[in-house]
Amino acid sequence: MKKIMSLLLVLVLVFSFVGCNSTATDPVNTGSSNTGTETSSGTGTETSEPDEVYVVNLGITGYPTNTNPFTQTQQVDQNALRMYETLLSQDANSLEYVGKLAESWTVSEDGKVWTIKLREGVQWTDGEAFNADDVVFTFGIILDNMEDETATFARKADVKVIEKIEKTGEYEVTFTNESSVSNFVNTPLSSLRILPEHIWGSMSVSEMLNFTNLTPVGTGPWKLIGEFNPQNTDLEYERNDNYWGQVPHINGLLYILFENSDTMFQAFKAGTLDMFSPSGTQATALDTEANVVVLKNMQPKLTELGINSWDDPASKGNPLLLNTNIRRAIDFALDKQVLVDNVLKGVGYAGSTLVPKSAGKWHLDIPHEYNTEKAIALLEAEGFTKFETVDISGREVEVRVNDKGEQLLFRFALLTNGYAWHYRDSMPFIVKWLEDIGVGLTIEPMDSATLGATMKLDSESFSDFDMYIWGWTPGYDPGFILTVLHTDQIGGRQEVMYSNPEYDALVDLQITQVDDNERMKTVHEAQQIIYNDAPYIPLYYQGYYDAYRNDKYEGFVQFAGDGTIFNDETYINLKPIK
């Protein structure tokens, strides 16, 4: 069990850091993809060494589970992978794709061949030189094992369009794709973290997938201090002074784990933390605090009620939930706007379809219909016309039953992690609404690691759940979130073990459509299928609040103008205030 750092310990730890000022020149970094035309991105300059140490303290309520990019699937793990880089990334201001480990790139006229010129002079943090071998290895090992179901690389879906990757120079690689790809700059060029071939290349596939990677070696602006341990309560980085680009102005980042959002809130008010994400109530309370800035964060996010949809005889889920009418009845029974108003305090939108509303045109706009009469009609059409009284945690609850004696009584996994506060705050509403239509829920509290194990093929607890609440931060392009429910992702990214060949075909098709209008039509058709089948019931597209202290640091960057401040460009640009 994780030990949670007490507030006193945090205070002692943080106040051991003292600091002063450092300055640097911010680089101009531009670049985008063009058909048959080379596009370049600029390089950065190093800062002078500050006289004293400055470490930015960030509050978290969920600790990373691993530092292995080949197996990482949980959002919380992102904080443990900051030493790695991708070939491209999305600029926080323009949202254009710019070079990271790629210096420039060209695309053939037919859109199938991408030639990537890599940066020269980049070093891994162990001093070895980065080159094309590292890129070919990272992509190649996944491509070579696409048909091996036991090779559970998390990013298989990202590379499935690639026919081959070749080293065409010491600092050049060429991708040949099966067809033109609509979002290749996003997936996979901005999603696969490049790994050092000289460390990982000698391992077997099994060894790679089980590698604990305690001392990660990367090319990024940050280096992990000490060995990674998922049982720790803090995660500390120091800056990489040999970084190829803009070296951070600050000396390090310290992620501090809190047991819940309340203790984290108190630590922020006390000045222990420099930035965190408050709840709606906490954000209101911070309005009168001096030297505090609170921002609305409206980046694309999805919180879903997931339903075990695995139709395999080995499934440990309740087979009644394979009935799409029962799943749709659950959706109709939920007054999602109430969750937005009361749980999110108005910062968000009621959910309906798979792609979040903030993704703009890619979102299929079907307003959610809260209709208990429709929900009841669907259940009764399936034969659930009678009631039985059951005991749920000492309460007598009337649940529907059919002539076979099958009850509409389901297990509900509820995360205990601090970041899941809005899941827990939503549950009293959800329990009541479902009981109103004759559906009972038995709540099973668990942490994310326990729930995550039920979604891994090699786990003894695989598929041992009925329903849960969890979420994604899928980005502005719809490609990622659509692939989550692809059959290929069962045992990978996908949690609900849903499979629909028609949906799979649409997801595969949209990847190849370079015409935005054609792709948008396909993306919408895919979302309509998920809306009808309801393996995911989107509860809301939650906004968040981000808060930071403006008396110690400046340079916070809000992604896309209304997104999160917890992003790479913030961490690079932060400067101590004199």
Side-chain angles (χ1 to χ4, degrees), residues 92-329:
N93 295 305
S94 69
L95 298 186
E96 295 292 329
Y97 286 90
V98 298
K100 295 295 281 186
L101 290 175
E103 186 175 70
S104 61
W105 57 98
T106 59
V107 188
S108 63
E109 290 186 5
D110 63 4
K112 294 182 179 180
V113 180
W114 291 65
T115 302
I116 312 294
K117 183 179 179 183
L118 303 172
R119 294 192 184 277
E120 299 185 28
V122 175
Q123 284 189 337
W124 295 98
T125 50
D126 64 357
E128 293 289 327
F130 160 80
N131 59 30
D133 292 332
D134 301 307
V135 180
V136 171
F137 161 73
T138 302
F139 282 85
I141 192 64
I142 304 176
L143 290 171
D144 290 345
N145 290 277
M146 290 296 286
E147 303 303 320
D148 184 354
E149 294 184 357
T150 65
T152 53
F153 290 99
R155 295 290 178 178
K156 274 189 174 181
D158 294 12
V159 303
K160 65 185 300 181
V161 298
I162 300 173
E163 186 177 288
K164 62 180 178 179
I165 179 174
E166 300 173 284
K167 178 181 178 180
T168 48
E170 188 66 14
Y171 294 97
E172 183 180 280
V173 297
T174 299
F175 294 93
T176 301
N177 299 328
E178 297 172 354
S179 61
S180 57
V181 182
S182 58
N183 63 337
F184 200 67
V185 291
N186 178 280
T187 308
L189 298 186
S190 298
S191 64
L192 258 72
R193 294 174 172 86
I194 305 304
L195 299 178
E197 189 270 343
H198 67 277
I199 292 177
W200 296 73
S202 60
M203 302 180 196
S204 67
V205 170
S206 177
E207 288 171 334
M208 289 179 199
L209 295 174
N210 290 287
F211 186 39
T212 54
N213 199 23
L214 299 180
T215 55
V217 172
T219 58
W222 305 104
K223 299 188 296 183
L224 188 66
I225 294 179
E227 290 188 350
F228 176 78
N229 183 345
Q231 303 302 316
N232 280 349
T233 55
D234 60 86
L235 181 73
E236 187 170 7
Y237 290 95
E238 62 181 340
R239 74 181 186 190
N240 177 10
D241 287 319
N242 294 317
Y243 183 53
W244 60 264
Q246 172 64 56
V247 174
H249 306 288
I250 57 175
N251 288 83
L253 303 171
L254 177 63
Y255 292 89
I256 305 172
L257 178 69
F258 289 85
E259 184 174 8
N260 55 58
S261 61
D262 292 334
T263 55
M264 186 166 61
F265 173 61
Q266 294 301 326
F268 181 78
K269 288 185 65 177
T272 301
L273 295 178
D274 299 307
M275 51 196 297
F276 87 120
S277 294
S279 68
T281 302
Q282 292 168 349
T284 301
L286 290 172
D287 282 344
T288 57
E289 290 288 320
N291 302 315
V292 169
V293 177
V294 178
L295 300 169
K296 286 185 178 180
N297 167 8
M298 297 303 296
Q299 73 183 103
K301 287 182 177 289
L302 167 68
T303 294
E304 82 275 1
L305 189 158
I307 299 176
N308 189 334
S309 304
W310 202 30
D311 59 4
D312 190 283
S315 176
K316 299 174 184 175
N318 191 316
L320 293 178
L321 290 172
L322 299 179
N323 186 320
T324 56
N325 278 340
I326 293 177
R327 299 200 300 250
R328 293 291 295 129

Side-chain angles (χ1 to χ4, degrees), residues 35 37 114 191 239 313 324 326 363 373 409 490 514 556 573:
T35 301
T37 307
W114 291 65
S191 64
R239 74 181 186 190
T324 56
I326 293 177
H363 167 69
E373 291 182 358
L409 179 62
I490 292 176
V514 294
F556 293 88
N573 290 321

Side-chain angles (χ1 to χ4, degrees), residues 30 207 413 531:
T30 61
E207 288 171 334
Y531 178 80

